[in-house]
Amino acid sequence: MQSFSWDDIRVFLAVAQTGTISNASTLLSVGIATVSRKIERLEKTFGMPLFLRHQTGYQLTEDGRELLEKAKIMEIAANSFLTEADIRTKIAGKVRLATTELLANNLIIPNLSTLQKNYPDLTLEIITDVHTINLHRRDADLALRLIRPEQGHVTVRQLGILGFGLYASEKYFINHPAKISEGTYDNFHFISWTDEYLQLPSSKWIEKILKGRPLSIATTSLSAQIAAVKAGLGLAILPHFIANTTDFICVSQQPELERPLWLVIQADLAHSPRIRKVADFLTDVVSQNRKQLSG
């Protein structure tokens, strides 16, 4: 049997006590997606269903009822084991989160009100200058990244997928009526990254398409590219979840440019209560926006 965490058992007890995922979520002050995920993981670990799903809520199966008393014993033992300070820890202090400006401005910050409401004494420092951030030097406590770290004392988990497409504004097509045929873009202007970002997959894709032709506009930020597309200055590779909130036209899907979203935490901070709360928040936000992010 695979190992499981005490948090999974705690969630199992909450669902058994309250009868629904949403009530358990409220009781534990975590997201509904987190509760559902932990129950599914626990059932997979035991290899059997622990609850019957009804419209009115969750009801323990016979196997679940047998495990309930054992789980209660584990709860008593766990509470005895934890130090008084850990049990009564108030979620407060600073948490430094490193991420991209794209994810900070369009995904994380618009959803921060719940975390702020639940933990008013928690200060989240959001660092978007990712080129200077190194978790191994403790520049940040955790990160939501598009590149998986290959080394260092960190825990890494994929939360979702960020999808991309080639976009233009209606204004651009009105001013440039030439048609695109079979992936040929010879008569179109392109907006992309400056030379410092040539390693980015979107930059490489556009460089291949241009076949030696120059860019119309090169920028050092995605927000500038979005502004340029909006102004009708050309085509750009943009994330679906941002472009789809505008009147931009998707010229083509680009599944080969999909990027995983990685949650990275300093290993020695992974069990810190305030770090866990921020990690759970990020996990829930990505889960709740999974379809929009992947496109």
Side-chain angles (χ1 to χ4, degrees):
M1 181 184 295
Q2 299 177 2
S3 62
F4 53 84
S5 70
W6 161 243
D7 272 346
D8 293 351
I9 299 297
R10 189 167 62 97
V11 168
F12 166 74
L13 285 166
V15 175
Q17 175 187 342
T18 63
T20 70
I21 291 290
S22 59
N23 288 343
S25 169
T26 301
L27 179 66
L28 298 173
S29 298
V30 299
I32 291 175
T34 297
V35 174
S36 180
R37 186 179 66 254
K38 288 180 180 293
I39 291 297
E40 290 174 0
R41 184 167 62 195
L42 197 59
E43 289 180 329
K44 183 178 179 181
T45 298
F46 283 108
M48 58 188 178
L50 302 177
F51 293 95
L52 296 174
R53 278 73 166 171
H54 298 289
Q55 289 185 343
T56 56
Y58 276 44
Q59 181 181 345
L60 284 166
T61 62
E62 184 176 347
D63 291 324
R65 285 194 296 272
E66 289 181 3
L67 287 173
L68 180 60
E69 293 306 315
K70 295 180 176 64
K72 289 179 179 178
I73 294 171
M74 289 180 65
E75 181 180 34
I76 294 171
N79 288 338
S80 299
F81 178 80
L82 293 172
T83 65
E84 189 70 18
D86 188 47
I87 294 173
R88 301 181 182 277
T89 293
K90 187 177 182 181
I91 305 301
K94 291 192 301 185
V95 175
R96 289 171 61 83
L97 167 66
T99 190
T100 66
E101 186 175 1
L102 153 73
L103 295 173
N105 292 347
N106 298 280
L107 181 67
I108 297 171
I109 291 174
N111 290 285
L112 265 181
S113 59
T114 300
L115 184 70
Q116 192 176 57
K117 179 181 177 181
N118 291 337
Y119 309 106
D121 296 322
L122 179 66
T123 300
L124 185 62
E125 293 187 354
I126 302 176
I127 310 159
T128 57
D129 189 11
V130 293
H131 289 295
T132 64
I133 294 301
N134 187 324
L135 262 67
H136 317 316
R137 294 198 310 260
R138 295 186 177 274
D139 293 337
D141 302 315
L142 74 169
L144 187 61
R145 302 177 55 169
L146 298 176
I147 299 175
R148 180 188 177 115
E150 298 298 332
Q151 57 184 359
H153 191 50
V154 294
T155 64
V156 182
R157 180 156 51 97
Q158 182 177 337
L159 299 187
I161 293 289
L162 185 63
F164 291 82
L166 182 64
Y167 285 90
S169 67
E170 184 177 356
K171 179 179 179 180
Y172 181 79
F173 282 114
I174 291 173
N175 295 331
H176 300 81
K179 295 182 179 180
I180 296 172
S181 60
E182 298 181 358
T184 300
Y185 305 94
D186 293 344
N187 298 314
F188 290 89
H189 301 86
F190 277 84
I191 302 157
S192 188
W193 299 91
T194 57
D195 290 346
E196 298 96 313
Y197 298 87
L198 289 177
Q199 79 282 1
L200 294 178
S202 58
S203 182
K204 292 179 179 178
W205 186 89
I206 289 179
E207 184 180 20
K208 182 179 178 181
I209 290 296
L210 286 174
K211 301 176 182 178
R213 290 191 294 122
L215 288 168
S216 175
I217 298 174
T219 78
T220 59
S221 75
L222 192 67
S223 59
Q225 292 182 27
I226 293 169
V229 172
K230 187 175 182 180
L233 300 178
L235 286 67
I237 295 291
L238 301 176
H240 292 308
F241 88 103
I242 293 178
N244 287 340
T245 63
T246 70
D247 59 356
F248 292 169
I249 298 169
C250 184
V251 178
S252 65
Q253 300 276 348
Q254 297 299 326
E256 70 273 24
L257 298 180
E258 289 181 348
R259 306 282 295 280
L261 287 170
W262 302 103
L263 176 64
V264 187
I265 308 175
Q266 286 192 35
D268 56 348
L269 296 178
H271 297 291
S272 164
R274 65 177 183 271
I275 302 298
R276 287 205 310 267
K277 292 301 180 185
V278 175
D280 283 345
F281 159 74
L282 294 171
T283 301
D284 288 339
V285 167
V286 172
S287 178
Q288 291 162 10
N289 292 276
R290 189 176 303 276
K291 288 185 179 180
Q292 296 92 319
L293 288 166
S294 64

